[in-house]
Amino acid sequence: MSASAVFILDVKGKPLISRNYKGDVAMSEIEHFMPLLVQREEEGALAPLLSHGKVHFLWIKHSNLYLVATTLKNANASLVYSFLYKTVEVFCEYFKELEEESIRDNFVIVYELLDELMDFGFPQTTDSKILQEYITQQGNKLETGKSRVPPTVTNAVSWRSEGIKYKKNEVFIDVIESVNLLVSPHTCTPPPPRHGLGAGEGALCMLTSHVHPPTQVNANGSVLLSEIVGTIKLKVFLSGMPELRLGLNDRVLFELTGRSKNKSVELEDVKFHQCVRLSRFDNDRTISFIPPDGDFELMSYRLSTQVKPLIWIESVIEKFSHSRVEIMVKAKGQFKKQSVANGVEISVPVPSDADSPRFKTSVGSAKYVPEKNVVIWSIKSFPGGKEYLMRAHFGLPSVEKEEEEGRPPIGVKFEIPYFTVSGIQVRYMKIIEKSGYQALPWVRYITQSGDYQLRTS
């Protein structure tokens, strides 16, 4: 048993649109959802599944909307949640952004999509590329005797159409890794009060200089969270119905084939696009698939590994008689010198009542964002091995309260092209098609910041 009905609610819980698939749950039951949600939230016991009598509400929130599925007992909850997230993905690909306005502006298409996405409570066609072949935002003109459903829906390979042709056959592979990092502060003695904008230069407090395992917490500073989340995205321009085989430096594969483990990586939580033959991967770690046409995400993975912080931040803050504050931040690129981080943004928290900002940077520019209580230091190009300084001076017009919980962490955003922190490599891409044409695979590696924060004392 799966979903009985699906509702899309606004932020106040008012239904914007709904679809009753089975008729075994009264549509009026949705009126109980928001009171239950508010009650659980107040009790601090909020859960993704709420119940009212025999009716269960399985819900997710996206932007300013709630997507809610109603079910009776024995429903396959994981299937329902997968469907809700897939529905969000499809709507985002149709409307760019899924929010209340896009639902109100596209009622007809949303109804059509809800009809095609699920039938009698069970997911049906959920691939947006296939849906876009017959549900368009330009409107449909149906002709008598002609089916509007494309043959791909009933094909064995439902994600790819027959008869695709390109003059130049190419595959573009993007390996994108996001680094999630949380560093605790190093305990140090604050510097004595000095005067002048650069007074604290000799008293920078090192947050940490050694990477500990993610679970270890050290009073002298440690990495509390360290992981890499990776995706491999493809852009496919290939004729016919080709079979692709992708080879990575996967540690399990290297063990199976007796290769050296030195340059291999151990992938965790691997998730594949539906086109990948999972039986082949389970048997011999071969990633074999007939790809969709155009852009798609082939796979995602995670590595719980000890990552050396790529951009290291040291900071010190000095307060003078509650009348002014000086902050100095040093940033260091701890990646190889041949690489360059682009679009670096370092967000430094400042007191909420600070004013009269003055900045001095050795590179880039700094600006005060008062609505967020941060200084954003922007550096367009940050080569590996380089160190840069930023000094900020603020006035404190009011008597400052003692900060009991400490300062918020410093956040860092960046992107490093032609570089992967895990060491993952695309070893080969084989393209097999019955016509025997030659195709060019292109590979690009990108490392970027995910949730990258350094706490300060």
Side-chain angles (χ1 to χ4, degrees):
M1 186 182 289
S2 190
S4 297
V6 171
F7 297 81
I8 300 178
L9 314 179
D10 66 15
V11 73
K12 294 180 180 178
K14 180 182 176 183
L16 298 173
I17 200 165
S18 61
R19 181 67 171 86
N20 190 353
Y21 292 107
K22 301 184 72 173
D24 58 347
V25 176
M27 296 297 279
S28 59
E29 286 286 342
I30 196 63
E31 295 171 8
H32 302 290
F33 170 73
M34 189 52 69
L36 278 171
L37 187 76
V38 172
Q39 180 187 340
R40 288 292 188 89
E41 204 164 16
E42 289 174 351
E43 294 171 354
L46 193 58
L49 189 150
L50 305 173
S51 299
H52 178 258
K54 295 182 178 180
V55 179
H56 303 290
F57 302 101
L58 292 81
W59 65 278
I60 62 173
K61 188 176 183 183
H62 180 86
S63 185
N64 57 354
L65 299 174
Y66 291 97
L67 279 79
V68 185
T70 57
T71 73
L72 294 173
K73 288 184 177 179
N74 299 323
N76 185 335
S78 61
L79 177 64
V80 176
Y81 285 118
S82 294
F83 174 78
L84 291 176
Y85 282 110
K86 190 66 181 178
T87 301
V88 169
E89 183 182 318
V90 169
F91 286 165
C92 286
E93 288 175 357
Y94 263 83
F95 312 131
K96 304 303 178 189
E97 291 182 5
L98 176 57
E99 53 193 9
E100 184 177 337
E101 292 74 14
S102 58
I103 295 295
R104 291 188 183 280
D105 292 344
N106 297 279
F107 268 128
V108 174
I109 293 175
V110 172
Y111 268 123
E112 286 193 65
L113 288 171
L114 289 175
D115 277 342
E116 295 296 334
L117 286 164
M118 182 172 278
D119 184 29
F120 199 67
F122 293 94
Q124 299 299 310
T125 306
T126 58
D127 191 307
S128 64
K129 291 187 186 302
I130 304 304
L131 290 166
Q132 284 169 4
E133 289 188 28
Y134 61 101
I135 297 179
T136 68
Q137 287 160 293
Q138 285 75 40
N140 295 307
K141 292 183 179 179
L142 303 184
E143 296 179 32
T144 306
K146 289 188 177 180
S147 172
R148 65 175 185 150
V149 179
T152 43
V153 172
T154 53
N155 279 356
V157 181
S158 63
W159 52 88
R160 185 178 179 89
S161 302
E162 295 276 1
I164 296 172
K165 291 183 180 179
Y166 287 100
K167 288 183 178 180
K168 189 175 183 181
N169 293 287
E170 295 179 302
V171 180
F172 296 88
I173 307 167
D174 279 347
V175 180
I176 304 169
E177 293 190 338
S178 297
V179 179
N180 296 332
L181 187 76
L182 179 60
V183 181
S184 73
H186 169 78
T187 305
C188 64
T189 306
R194 300 183 189 179
H195 301 283
L197 191 59
E201 187 166 355
L204 283 170
C205 172
M206 281 291 290
L207 295 174
T208 178
S209 58
H210 182 71
V211 178
H212 298 278
T215 54
Q216 183 172 348
V217 179
N218 188 306
N220 293 324
S222 66
V223 173
L224 302 179
L225 169 69
S226 172
E227 69 174 7
I228 301 165
V229 178
T231 59
I232 297 181
K233 297 182 178 182
L234 269 63
K235 186 176 289 188
V236 176
F237 303 109
L238 295 175
S239 304
M241 196 68 71
E243 179 182 340
L244 275 58
R245 292 175 189 169
L246 179 70
L248 304 172
N249 55 334
D250 174 15
R251 182 162 298 173
V252 177
L253 174 63
F254 277 35
E255 287 175 355
L256 288 172
T257 54
R259 293 188 181 91
S260 170
K261 300 178 188 178
N262 292 341
K263 293 184 179 180
S264 62
V265 294
E266 188 170 357
L267 304 177
E268 304 169 37
D269 295 344
V270 180
K271 296 176 184 176
F272 289 110
H273 187 275
Q274 62 177 333
C275 67
V276 175
R277 296 186 177 95
L278 295 180
S279 57
R280 289 281 311 265
F281 184 77
D282 289 339
N283 289 335
D284 57 15
R285 305 293 282 195
T286 298
I287 303 172
S288 174
F289 56 99
I290 295 173
D293 189 44
D295 296 331
F296 73 102
E297 184 178 298
L298 176 69
M299 63 179 284
S300 64
Y301 59 89
R302 183 179 61 85
L303 290 91
S304 295
T305 185
Q306 299 179 26
V307 180
K308 181 180 180 181
L310 299 172
I311 294 182
W312 191 245
I313 304 295
E314 303 168 20
S315 71
V316 67
I317 181 169
E318 292 188 54
K319 298 174 184 176
F320 301 92
S321 305
H322 298 292
S323 62
R324 61 191 176 92
V325 62
E326 291 181 5
I327 302 170
M328 185 158 63
V329 178
K330 182 166 76 171
K332 181 180 180 181
Q334 297 195 142
F335 47 93
K336 59 185 182 180
K337 294 180 180 179
Q338 304 95 304
S339 297
V340 176
N342 297 325
V344 178
E345 285 190 1
I346 301 167
S347 299
V348 184
V350 299
S352 58
D353 57 349
D355 65 8
S356 309
R358 287 192 290 131
F359 306 110
K360 187 177 181 182
T361 61
S362 60
V363 70
S365 61
K367 68 175 180 179
Y368 177 40
V369 185
E371 61 270 21
K372 295 182 180 179
N373 297 321
V374 296
V375 171
I376 296 181
W377 179 17
S378 302
I379 305 169
K380 287 184 180 179
S381 181
F382 196 138
K386 293 288 186 180
E387 288 187 11
Y388 298 121
L389 285 173
M390 188 274 290
R391 297 186 180 98
H393 178 282
F394 289 91
L396 294 175
S398 61
V399 177
E400 187 184 12
K401 297 177 182 178
E402 290 296 323
E403 296 180 16
E404 296 178 3
E405 297 181 1
R407 289 196 298 151
I410 293 175
V412 186
K413 293 182 180 179
F414 59 85
E415 184 174 284
I416 308 174
Y418 317 112
F419 176 83
T420 59
V421 68
S422 70
I424 193 169
Q425 292 177 352
V426 174
R427 295 174 48 244
Y428 63 82
M429 167 67 83
K430 293 179 181 177
I431 301 166
I432 304 161
E433 213 278 332
K434 61 183 180 182
S435 64
Y437 61 71
Q438 296 297 311
L440 296 171
W442 304 90
V443 184
R444 179 174 61 171
Y445 299 94
I446 300 170
T447 292
Q448 59 191 17
S449 55
D451 186 6
Y452 193 104
Q453 298 183 338
L454 298 100
R455 291 177 182 169
T456 54
S457 53

